[in-house]
Amino acid sequence: MKNKFLTLVGFLALFLLFGCSKNHGNTLYLFNWTYYTPDSVISLFEQEYGVKVKVDSFASNEEMFAKLMAGASGYDIVFPSQDYVSIMIKQGMLKEIDKTQIPNLKYINSQVLEKATYDPEMNYSVPYYMGAAGIAVNTEKVSEYEHSWNIFARKDLNGRMSMMDDMREVIGDALSHLGYSVNSLDDKELEEAKNLIINEWKPNLVKFDAEGFGKTFAEGDFWVVQGYAEVVHSEVTEEQWEKVDFFIPKEGGPMYIDSMCILKDTENYELALKFIDFIHQPEIYAKFLDEFYFPPSVNTEAAQYMTVTPMYQAKEMENCQIKEDIGEGLMKYDSIWQQIRFVD
């Protein structure tokens, strides 16, 4: 779905106030991204197994990770992106998955697993969705434009655009536009990306926004926003759809694999395995895709059960790259991001 390393300290201080103790019994506790858990699927799972599912949400990997590191407990399944799956495996935060109890793993796209180099055997994580942030354009207000990140350099759209408040996404967009890897640690390439954002894109933006872009776009305040398809879809009314163009820029950009991971201290391991298996029943997974107008990138058999046309096609991600765990290099990105965000 969904990287500010140094801000973890702040999150840790905040979330020390929120350590949670949950009464499990027949209740499964999920910790998932906002706009990412279809109520219809949850209801079907509850009916089939005679249980309850409770969902808490987070807006970024940093928020999720900081809360867990600060002592929040009681969650059974969490949905981190690939770089944080890698971190959480190394930190010993995840319970190994008994794949013999998840027969529907056979439907996972092998091409997705090839990209999941951090856990290609699904020992600790099962792909939930593979996607990419893109750009939503109000075609009633903007009639001629290129499917490129450089739309944010358009001075005539000054004051009507936003990009995400996410350093790996925005810096990755600039790196992709310049022809570099979204995981680059090359100082020269990163300097070029920083200058592109500061000098050509940022002057035309109202703000960097990782949470409210769907609302501001739907309300017509912003005409061009970077963000996730599910957020835009959740906020835009059906009557507005004909004037919305959502696309993945031709240069590619950062791509993510969000996964279902069972936390090491789960109190409902068997039920968590059942939930993961349930999600990947092709008919059920198709309901998840339909809910958010996603393309069928992860589950190979779900496409035949879909009833809607996705907001974008999986082939649009051909030039995208998975955001990798870049280790201490994340501090380099954070330093650049602080300059981008807070230096005029």
Side-chain angles (χ1 to χ4, degrees), residues 41 103-108 276-290 296 299-306:
V41 170
N104 288 325
L105 291 183
K106 63 186 177 184
Y107 298 121
I108 301 295
I276 294 172
D277 192 55
F278 183 81
I279 287 292
H280 277 297
Q281 291 181 34
E283 300 93 330
I284 297 297
Y285 195 78
K287 293 181 183 296
F288 161 64
L289 297 175
D290 281 349
N299 188 304
T300 58
E301 296 298 315
Q304 62 184 305
Y305 300 104
M306 291 184 68

PDB file of all heavy atoms in Angstrom, residues 41 103-108 276-290 296 299-306:
ATOM      1  N   VAL A  41     -16.106  -8.980   2.723  1.00  0.00           N
ATOM      2  CA  VAL A  41     -15.264 -10.170   2.895  1.00  0.00           C
ATOM      3  C   VAL A  41     -15.152 -10.531   4.371  1.00  0.00           C
ATOM      4  O   VAL A  41     -15.220 -11.706   4.755  1.00  0.00           O
ATOM      5  CB  VAL A  41     -13.877  -9.944   2.266  1.00  0.00           C
ATOM      6  CG1 VAL A  41     -12.926 -11.076   2.647  1.00  0.00           C
ATOM      7  CG2 VAL A  41     -13.994  -9.842   0.747  1.00  0.00           C
ATOM      8  N   PRO A 103      -4.048 -24.199   1.719  1.00  0.00           N
ATOM      9  CA  PRO A 103      -4.017 -24.793   0.376  1.00  0.00           C
ATOM     10  C   PRO A 103      -4.187 -23.776  -0.749  1.00  0.00           C
ATOM     11  O   PRO A 103      -3.710 -24.010  -1.872  1.00  0.00           O
ATOM     12  CB  PRO A 103      -5.177 -25.794   0.397  1.00  0.00           C
ATOM     13  CG  PRO A 103      -6.056 -25.366   1.527  1.00  0.00           C
ATOM     14  CD  PRO A 103      -5.139 -24.772   2.547  1.00  0.00           C
ATOM     15  N   ASN A 104      -4.821 -22.648  -0.470  1.00  0.00           N
ATOM     16  CA  ASN A 104      -5.052 -21.665  -1.526  1.00  0.00           C
ATOM     17  C   ASN A 104      -3.799 -20.877  -1.907  1.00  0.00           C
ATOM     18  O   ASN A 104      -3.853 -20.033  -2.814  1.00  0.00           O
ATOM     19  CB  ASN A 104      -6.170 -20.705  -1.119  1.00  0.00           C
ATOM     20  CG  ASN A 104      -7.534 -21.386  -1.143  1.00  0.00           C
ATOM     21  OD1 ASN A 104      -7.799 -22.239  -1.994  1.00  0.00           O
ATOM     22  ND2 ASN A 104      -8.392 -21.040  -0.198  1.00  0.00           N
ATOM     23  N   LEU A 105      -2.675 -21.191  -1.281  1.00  0.00           N
ATOM     24  CA  LEU A 105      -1.412 -20.575  -1.703  1.00  0.00           C
ATOM     25  C   LEU A 105      -1.078 -20.956  -3.148  1.00  0.00           C
ATOM     26  O   LEU A 105      -0.301 -20.277  -3.808  1.00  0.00           O
ATOM     27  CB  LEU A 105      -0.266 -21.007  -0.777  1.00  0.00           C
ATOM     28  CG  LEU A 105      -0.289 -20.476   0.656  1.00  0.00           C
ATOM     29  CD1 LEU A 105       0.954 -20.944   1.402  1.00  0.00           C
ATOM     30  CD2 LEU A 105      -0.379 -18.953   0.688  1.00  0.00           C
ATOM     31  N   LYS A 106      -1.691 -22.016  -3.630  1.00  0.00           N
ATOM     32  CA  LYS A 106      -1.418 -22.458  -5.003  1.00  0.00           C
ATOM     33  C   LYS A 106      -1.870 -21.420  -6.023  1.00  0.00           C
ATOM     34  O   LYS A 106      -1.452 -21.473  -7.186  1.00  0.00           O
ATOM     35  CB  LYS A 106      -2.108 -23.787  -5.279  1.00  0.00           C
ATOM     36  CG  LYS A 106      -3.633 -23.731  -5.202  1.00  0.00           C
ATOM     37  CD  LYS A 106      -4.250 -25.116  -5.341  1.00  0.00           C
ATOM     38  CE  LYS A 106      -5.768 -25.078  -5.196  1.00  0.00           C
ATOM     39  NZ  LYS A 106      -6.372 -26.429  -5.238  1.00  0.00           N
ATOM     40  N   TYR A 107      -2.731 -20.487  -5.609  1.00  0.00           N
ATOM     41  CA  TYR A 107      -3.226 -19.473  -6.543  1.00  0.00           C
ATOM     42  C   TYR A 107      -2.356 -18.208  -6.574  1.00  0.00           C
ATOM     43  O   TYR A 107      -2.633 -17.295  -7.355  1.00  0.00           O
ATOM     44  CB  TYR A 107      -4.656 -19.075  -6.176  1.00  0.00           C
ATOM     45  CG  TYR A 107      -5.641 -20.208  -6.255  1.00  0.00           C
ATOM     46  CD1 TYR A 107      -6.387 -20.603  -5.139  1.00  0.00           C
ATOM     47  CD2 TYR A 107      -5.842 -20.902  -7.448  1.00  0.00           C
ATOM     48  CE1 TYR A 107      -7.293 -21.646  -5.225  1.00  0.00           C
ATOM     49  CE2 TYR A 107      -6.748 -21.953  -7.537  1.00  0.00           C
ATOM     50  CZ  TYR A 107      -7.470 -22.317  -6.413  1.00  0.00           C
ATOM     51  OH  TYR A 107      -8.365 -23.355  -6.500  1.00  0.00           O
ATOM     52  N   ILE A 108      -1.312 -18.148  -5.737  1.00  0.00           N
ATOM     53  CA  ILE A 108      -0.460 -16.955  -5.697  1.00  0.00           C
ATOM     54  C   ILE A 108       0.385 -16.905  -6.972  1.00  0.00           C
ATOM     55  O   ILE A 108       1.041 -17.878  -7.354  1.00  0.00           O
ATOM     56  CB  ILE A 108       0.463 -16.961  -4.472  1.00  0.00           C
ATOM     57  CG1 ILE A 108      -0.367 -17.018  -3.177  1.00  0.00           C
ATOM     58  CG2 ILE A 108       1.363 -15.729  -4.471  1.00  0.00           C
ATOM     59  CD1 ILE A 108      -1.222 -15.824  -2.929  1.00  0.00           C
ATOM     60  N   ILE A 276      -6.130 -16.192   6.236  1.00  0.00           N
ATOM     61  CA  ILE A 276      -5.249 -16.036   5.076  1.00  0.00           C
ATOM     62  C   ILE A 276      -5.710 -16.953   3.941  1.00  0.00           C
ATOM     63  O   ILE A 276      -5.762 -16.557   2.774  1.00  0.00           O
ATOM     64  CB  ILE A 276      -3.780 -16.313   5.461  1.00  0.00           C
ATOM     65  CG1 ILE A 276      -3.278 -15.240   6.440  1.00  0.00           C
ATOM     66  CG2 ILE A 276      -2.891 -16.354   4.217  1.00  0.00           C
ATOM     67  CD1 ILE A 276      -1.910 -15.526   7.025  1.00  0.00           C
ATOM     68  N   ASP A 277      -6.049 -18.196   4.295  1.00  0.00           N
ATOM     69  CA  ASP A 277      -6.521 -19.139   3.286  1.00  0.00           C
ATOM     70  C   ASP A 277      -7.846 -18.677   2.685  1.00  0.00           C
ATOM     71  O   ASP A 277      -8.064 -18.771   1.471  1.00  0.00           O
ATOM     72  CB  ASP A 277      -6.676 -20.527   3.905  1.00  0.00           C
ATOM     73  CG  ASP A 277      -6.890 -21.603   2.851  1.00  0.00           C
ATOM     74  OD1 ASP A 277      -6.045 -21.712   1.937  1.00  0.00           O
ATOM     75  OD2 ASP A 277      -7.906 -22.309   2.922  1.00  0.00           O
ATOM     76  N   PHE A 278      -8.721 -18.145   3.526  1.00  0.00           N
ATOM     77  CA  PHE A 278     -10.033 -17.667   3.080  1.00  0.00           C
ATOM     78  C   PHE A 278      -9.878 -16.524   2.076  1.00  0.00           C
ATOM     79  O   PHE A 278     -10.554 -16.506   1.038  1.00  0.00           O
ATOM     80  CB  PHE A 278     -10.832 -17.202   4.302  1.00  0.00           C
ATOM     81  CG  PHE A 278     -12.233 -16.752   3.990  1.00  0.00           C
ATOM     82  CD1 PHE A 278     -13.260 -17.676   3.821  1.00  0.00           C
ATOM     83  CD2 PHE A 278     -12.536 -15.398   3.875  1.00  0.00           C
ATOM     84  CE1 PHE A 278     -14.557 -17.256   3.548  1.00  0.00           C
ATOM     85  CE2 PHE A 278     -13.825 -14.978   3.603  1.00  0.00           C
ATOM     86  CZ  PHE A 278     -14.843 -15.910   3.433  1.00  0.00           C
ATOM     87  N   ILE A 279      -9.015 -15.590   2.385  1.00  0.00           N
ATOM     88  CA  ILE A 279      -8.801 -14.435   1.497  1.00  0.00           C
ATOM     89  C   ILE A 279      -8.427 -14.894   0.098  1.00  0.00           C
ATOM     90  O   ILE A 279      -8.853 -14.305  -0.906  1.00  0.00           O
ATOM     91  CB  ILE A 279      -7.697 -13.517   2.062  1.00  0.00           C
ATOM     92  CG1 ILE A 279      -8.212 -12.749   3.288  1.00  0.00           C
ATOM     93  CG2 ILE A 279      -7.179 -12.537   1.000  1.00  0.00           C
ATOM     94  CD1 ILE A 279      -9.280 -11.727   2.983  1.00  0.00           C
ATOM     95  N   HIS A 280      -7.633 -15.953  -0.002  1.00  0.00           N
ATOM     96  CA  HIS A 280      -7.146 -16.373  -1.318  1.00  0.00           C
ATOM     97  C   HIS A 280      -8.009 -17.425  -2.010  1.00  0.00           C
ATOM     98  O   HIS A 280      -7.581 -17.981  -3.030  1.00  0.00           O
ATOM     99  CB  HIS A 280      -5.681 -16.798  -1.235  1.00  0.00           C
ATOM    100  CG  HIS A 280      -4.759 -15.617  -1.309  1.00  0.00           C
ATOM    101  ND1 HIS A 280      -4.694 -14.806  -2.416  1.00  0.00           N
ATOM    102  CD2 HIS A 280      -3.890 -15.089  -0.405  1.00  0.00           C
ATOM    103  CE1 HIS A 280      -3.817 -13.839  -2.206  1.00  0.00           C
ATOM    104  NE2 HIS A 280      -3.318 -13.987  -0.996  1.00  0.00           N
ATOM    105  N   GLN A 281      -9.211 -17.687  -1.500  1.00  0.00           N
ATOM    106  CA  GLN A 281     -10.176 -18.385  -2.341  1.00  0.00           C
ATOM    107  C   GLN A 281     -10.471 -17.459  -3.517  1.00  0.00           C
ATOM    108  O   GLN A 281     -10.804 -16.293  -3.317  1.00  0.00           O
ATOM    109  CB  GLN A 281     -11.467 -18.647  -1.569  1.00  0.00           C
ATOM    110  CG  GLN A 281     -11.359 -19.660  -0.461  1.00  0.00           C
ATOM    111  CD  GLN A 281     -12.702 -19.864   0.227  1.00  0.00           C
ATOM    112  OE1 GLN A 281     -13.748 -19.788  -0.405  1.00  0.00           O
ATOM    113  NE2 GLN A 281     -12.667 -20.115   1.530  1.00  0.00           N
ATOM    114  N   PRO A 282     -10.324 -17.920  -4.743  1.00  0.00           N
ATOM    115  CA  PRO A 282     -10.479 -17.017  -5.897  1.00  0.00           C
ATOM    116  C   PRO A 282     -11.772 -16.208  -5.902  1.00  0.00           C
ATOM    117  O   PRO A 282     -11.759 -15.015  -6.206  1.00  0.00           O
ATOM    118  CB  PRO A 282     -10.408 -17.979  -7.088  1.00  0.00           C
ATOM    119  CG  PRO A 282      -9.521 -19.076  -6.608  1.00  0.00           C
ATOM    120  CD  PRO A 282      -9.872 -19.266  -5.163  1.00  0.00           C
ATOM    121  N   GLU A 283     -12.893 -16.842  -5.526  1.00  0.00           N
ATOM    122  CA  GLU A 283     -14.166 -16.108  -5.512  1.00  0.00           C
ATOM    123  C   GLU A 283     -14.166 -15.010  -4.446  1.00  0.00           C
ATOM    124  O   GLU A 283     -14.740 -13.933  -4.659  1.00  0.00           O
ATOM    125  CB  GLU A 283     -15.335 -17.069  -5.227  1.00  0.00           C
ATOM    126  CG  GLU A 283     -15.493 -18.176  -6.255  1.00  0.00           C
ATOM    127  CD  GLU A 283     -14.766 -19.446  -5.855  1.00  0.00           C
ATOM    128  OE1 GLU A 283     -13.721 -19.357  -5.155  1.00  0.00           O
ATOM    129  OE2 GLU A 283     -15.242 -20.536  -6.233  1.00  0.00           O
ATOM    130  N   ILE A 284     -13.518 -15.283  -3.328  1.00  0.00           N
ATOM    131  CA  ILE A 284     -13.441 -14.294  -2.248  1.00  0.00           C
ATOM    132  C   ILE A 284     -12.467 -13.184  -2.615  1.00  0.00           C
ATOM    133  O   ILE A 284     -12.752 -11.990  -2.422  1.00  0.00           O
ATOM    134  CB  ILE A 284     -13.011 -14.970  -0.927  1.00  0.00           C
ATOM    135  CG1 ILE A 284     -14.060 -15.992  -0.486  1.00  0.00           C
ATOM    136  CG2 ILE A 284     -12.756 -13.923   0.155  1.00  0.00           C
ATOM    137  CD1 ILE A 284     -15.418 -15.386  -0.173  1.00  0.00           C
ATOM    138  N   TYR A 285     -11.319 -13.581  -3.160  1.00  0.00           N
ATOM    139  CA  TYR A 285     -10.321 -12.569  -3.516  1.00  0.00           C
ATOM    140  C   TYR A 285     -10.866 -11.629  -4.592  1.00  0.00           C
ATOM    141  O   TYR A 285     -10.551 -10.439  -4.611  1.00  0.00           O
ATOM    142  CB  TYR A 285      -9.036 -13.243  -4.005  1.00  0.00           C
ATOM    143  CG  TYR A 285      -7.860 -12.290  -4.042  1.00  0.00           C
ATOM    144  CD1 TYR A 285      -7.181 -11.947  -2.872  1.00  0.00           C
ATOM    145  CD2 TYR A 285      -7.428 -11.720  -5.236  1.00  0.00           C
ATOM    146  CE1 TYR A 285      -6.118 -11.069  -2.893  1.00  0.00           C
ATOM    147  CE2 TYR A 285      -6.369 -10.839  -5.263  1.00  0.00           C
ATOM    148  CZ  TYR A 285      -5.716 -10.514  -4.089  1.00  0.00           C
ATOM    149  OH  TYR A 285      -4.667  -9.631  -4.107  1.00  0.00           O
ATOM    150  N   ALA A 286     -11.715 -12.154  -5.470  1.00  0.00           N
ATOM    151  CA  ALA A 286     -12.332 -11.309  -6.498  1.00  0.00           C
ATOM    152  C   ALA A 286     -13.221 -10.239  -5.866  1.00  0.00           C
ATOM    153  O   ALA A 286     -13.305  -9.108  -6.369  1.00  0.00           O
ATOM    154  CB  ALA A 286     -13.153 -12.165  -7.460  1.00  0.00           C
ATOM    155  N   LYS A 287     -13.869 -10.566  -4.742  1.00  0.00           N
ATOM    156  CA  LYS A 287     -14.687  -9.572  -4.035  1.00  0.00           C
ATOM    157  C   LYS A 287     -13.810  -8.449  -3.486  1.00  0.00           C
ATOM    158  O   LYS A 287     -14.193  -7.272  -3.500  1.00  0.00           O
ATOM    159  CB  LYS A 287     -15.474 -10.234  -2.896  1.00  0.00           C
ATOM    160  CG  LYS A 287     -16.543 -11.213  -3.372  1.00  0.00           C
ATOM    161  CD  LYS A 287     -17.290 -11.819  -2.193  1.00  0.00           C
ATOM    162  CE  LYS A 287     -18.307 -12.856  -2.665  1.00  0.00           C
ATOM    163  NZ  LYS A 287     -19.364 -12.255  -3.505  1.00  0.00           N
ATOM    164  N   PHE A 288     -12.636  -8.816  -2.987  1.00  0.00           N
ATOM    165  CA  PHE A 288     -11.670  -7.825  -2.514  1.00  0.00           C
ATOM    166  C   PHE A 288     -11.242  -6.909  -3.661  1.00  0.00           C
ATOM    167  O   PHE A 288     -11.231  -5.677  -3.536  1.00  0.00           O
ATOM    168  CB  PHE A 288     -10.462  -8.553  -1.907  1.00  0.00           C
ATOM    169  CG  PHE A 288      -9.207  -7.724  -1.788  1.00  0.00           C
ATOM    170  CD1 PHE A 288      -9.162  -6.613  -0.961  1.00  0.00           C
ATOM    171  CD2 PHE A 288      -8.057  -8.070  -2.493  1.00  0.00           C
ATOM    172  CE1 PHE A 288      -8.002  -5.851  -0.844  1.00  0.00           C
ATOM    173  CE2 PHE A 288      -6.898  -7.328  -2.387  1.00  0.00           C
ATOM    174  CZ  PHE A 288      -6.868  -6.216  -1.558  1.00  0.00           C
ATOM    175  N   LEU A 289     -10.928  -7.496  -4.809  1.00  0.00           N
ATOM    176  CA  LEU A 289     -10.518  -6.700  -5.971  1.00  0.00           C
ATOM    177  C   LEU A 289     -11.646  -5.789  -6.445  1.00  0.00           C
ATOM    178  O   LEU A 289     -11.416  -4.607  -6.753  1.00  0.00           O
ATOM    179  CB  LEU A 289     -10.078  -7.625  -7.108  1.00  0.00           C
ATOM    180  CG  LEU A 289      -8.861  -8.520  -6.844  1.00  0.00           C
ATOM    181  CD1 LEU A 289      -8.630  -9.453  -8.027  1.00  0.00           C
ATOM    182  CD2 LEU A 289      -7.615  -7.684  -6.579  1.00  0.00           C
ATOM    183  N   ASP A 290     -12.857  -6.323  -6.504  1.00  0.00           N
ATOM    184  CA  ASP A 290     -14.011  -5.527  -6.936  1.00  0.00           C
ATOM    185  C   ASP A 290     -14.256  -4.344  -6.003  1.00  0.00           C
ATOM    186  O   ASP A 290     -14.625  -3.256  -6.450  1.00  0.00           O
ATOM    187  CB  ASP A 290     -15.272  -6.394  -6.971  1.00  0.00           C
ATOM    188  CG  ASP A 290     -15.356  -7.279  -8.203  1.00  0.00           C
ATOM    189  OD1 ASP A 290     -14.558  -7.086  -9.141  1.00  0.00           O
ATOM    190  OD2 ASP A 290     -16.229  -8.167  -8.236  1.00  0.00           O
ATOM    191  N   PRO A 296      -6.107  -7.855 -10.967  1.00  0.00           N
ATOM    192  CA  PRO A 296      -5.772  -9.127 -10.319  1.00  0.00           C
ATOM    193  C   PRO A 296      -4.288  -9.456 -10.451  1.00  0.00           C
ATOM    194  O   PRO A 296      -3.893 -10.305 -11.247  1.00  0.00           O
ATOM    195  CB  PRO A 296      -6.640 -10.136 -11.073  1.00  0.00           C
ATOM    196  CG  PRO A 296      -6.767  -9.545 -12.447  1.00  0.00           C
ATOM    197  CD  PRO A 296      -6.811  -8.055 -12.255  1.00  0.00           C
ATOM    198  N   ASN A 299      -3.537 -12.973  -7.172  1.00  0.00           N
ATOM    199  CA  ASN A 299      -4.240 -14.259  -7.233  1.00  0.00           C
ATOM    200  C   ASN A 299      -4.592 -14.575  -8.689  1.00  0.00           C
ATOM    201  O   ASN A 299      -5.382 -13.876  -9.318  1.00  0.00           O
ATOM    202  CB  ASN A 299      -5.503 -14.190  -6.363  1.00  0.00           C
ATOM    203  CG  ASN A 299      -6.200 -15.521  -6.212  1.00  0.00           C
ATOM    204  OD1 ASN A 299      -6.553 -16.149  -7.197  1.00  0.00           O
ATOM    205  ND2 ASN A 299      -6.404 -15.950  -4.968  1.00  0.00           N
ATOM    206  N   THR A 300      -4.008 -15.628  -9.219  1.00  0.00           N
ATOM    207  CA  THR A 300      -4.095 -15.918 -10.651  1.00  0.00           C
ATOM    208  C   THR A 300      -5.478 -16.332 -11.127  1.00  0.00           C
ATOM    209  O   THR A 300      -5.789 -16.237 -12.316  1.00  0.00           O
ATOM    210  CB  THR A 300      -3.092 -17.030 -11.028  1.00  0.00           C
ATOM    211  OG1 THR A 300      -3.373 -18.197 -10.244  1.00  0.00           O
ATOM    212  CG2 THR A 300      -1.666 -16.578 -10.782  1.00  0.00           C
ATOM    213  N   GLU A 301      -6.315 -16.822 -10.224  1.00  0.00           N
ATOM    214  CA  GLU A 301      -7.628 -17.334 -10.631  1.00  0.00           C
ATOM    215  C   GLU A 301      -8.781 -16.370 -10.351  1.00  0.00           C
ATOM    216  O   GLU A 301      -9.913 -16.632 -10.761  1.00  0.00           O
ATOM    217  CB  GLU A 301      -7.902 -18.663  -9.913  1.00  0.00           C
ATOM    218  CG  GLU A 301      -6.931 -19.774 -10.282  1.00  0.00           C
ATOM    219  CD  GLU A 301      -6.988 -20.122 -11.765  1.00  0.00           C
ATOM    220  OE1 GLU A 301      -8.113 -20.238 -12.302  1.00  0.00           O
ATOM    221  OE2 GLU A 301      -5.918 -20.250 -12.374  1.00  0.00           O
ATOM    222  N   ALA A 302      -8.516 -15.275  -9.672  1.00  0.00           N
ATOM    223  CA  ALA A 302      -9.596 -14.386  -9.244  1.00  0.00           C
ATOM    224  C   ALA A 302     -10.218 -13.595 -10.389  1.00  0.00           C
ATOM    225  O   ALA A 302     -11.395 -13.218 -10.321  1.00  0.00           O
ATOM    226  CB  ALA A 302      -9.089 -13.432  -8.171  1.00  0.00           C
ATOM    227  N   ALA A 303      -9.453 -13.348 -11.443  1.00  0.00           N
ATOM    228  CA  ALA A 303      -9.925 -12.479 -12.530  1.00  0.00           C
ATOM    229  C   ALA A 303     -11.254 -12.955 -13.114  1.00  0.00           C
ATOM    230  O   ALA A 303     -12.121 -12.135 -13.444  1.00  0.00           O
ATOM    231  CB  ALA A 303      -8.861 -12.398 -13.628  1.00  0.00           C
ATOM    232  N   GLN A 304     -11.439 -14.263 -13.216  1.00  0.00           N
ATOM    233  CA  GLN A 304     -12.661 -14.793 -13.845  1.00  0.00           C
ATOM    234  C   GLN A 304     -13.914 -14.534 -13.028  1.00  0.00           C
ATOM    235  O   GLN A 304     -15.031 -14.626 -13.539  1.00  0.00           O
ATOM    236  CB  GLN A 304     -12.509 -16.298 -14.073  1.00  0.00           C
ATOM    237  CG  GLN A 304     -12.326 -17.106 -12.802  1.00  0.00           C
ATOM    238  CD  GLN A 304     -12.075 -18.565 -13.078  1.00  0.00           C
ATOM    239  OE1 GLN A 304     -12.861 -19.210 -13.769  1.00  0.00           O
ATOM    240  NE2 GLN A 304     -10.974 -19.111 -12.552  1.00  0.00           N
ATOM    241  N   TYR A 305     -13.737 -14.153 -11.762  1.00  0.00           N
ATOM    242  CA  TYR A 305     -14.890 -13.898 -10.899  1.00  0.00           C
ATOM    243  C   TYR A 305     -15.141 -12.408 -10.681  1.00  0.00           C
ATOM    244  O   TYR A 305     -16.105 -12.044 -10.007  1.00  0.00           O
ATOM    245  CB  TYR A 305     -14.685 -14.574  -9.536  1.00  0.00           C
ATOM    246  CG  TYR A 305     -14.531 -16.076  -9.637  1.00  0.00           C
ATOM    247  CD1 TYR A 305     -13.282 -16.675  -9.504  1.00  0.00           C
ATOM    248  CD2 TYR A 305     -15.642 -16.896  -9.860  1.00  0.00           C
ATOM    249  CE1 TYR A 305     -13.135 -18.050  -9.604  1.00  0.00           C
ATOM    250  CE2 TYR A 305     -15.499 -18.276  -9.952  1.00  0.00           C
ATOM    251  CZ  TYR A 305     -14.243 -18.848  -9.824  1.00  0.00           C
ATOM    252  OH  TYR A 305     -14.099 -20.215  -9.922  1.00  0.00           O
ATOM    253  N   MET A 306     -14.299 -11.557 -11.239  1.00  0.00           N
ATOM    254  CA  MET A 306     -14.462 -10.118 -11.040  1.00  0.00           C
ATOM    255  C   MET A 306     -15.673  -9.595 -11.811  1.00  0.00           C
ATOM    256  O   MET A 306     -16.013 -10.108 -12.888  1.00  0.00           O
ATOM    257  CB  MET A 306     -13.202  -9.369 -11.479  1.00  0.00           C
ATOM    258  CG  MET A 306     -11.996  -9.602 -10.576  1.00  0.00           C
ATOM    259  SD  MET A 306     -10.558  -8.610 -11.072  1.00  0.00           S
ATOM    260  CE  MET A 306     -11.150  -6.941 -10.681  1.00  0.00           C
TER     261      MET A 306
END
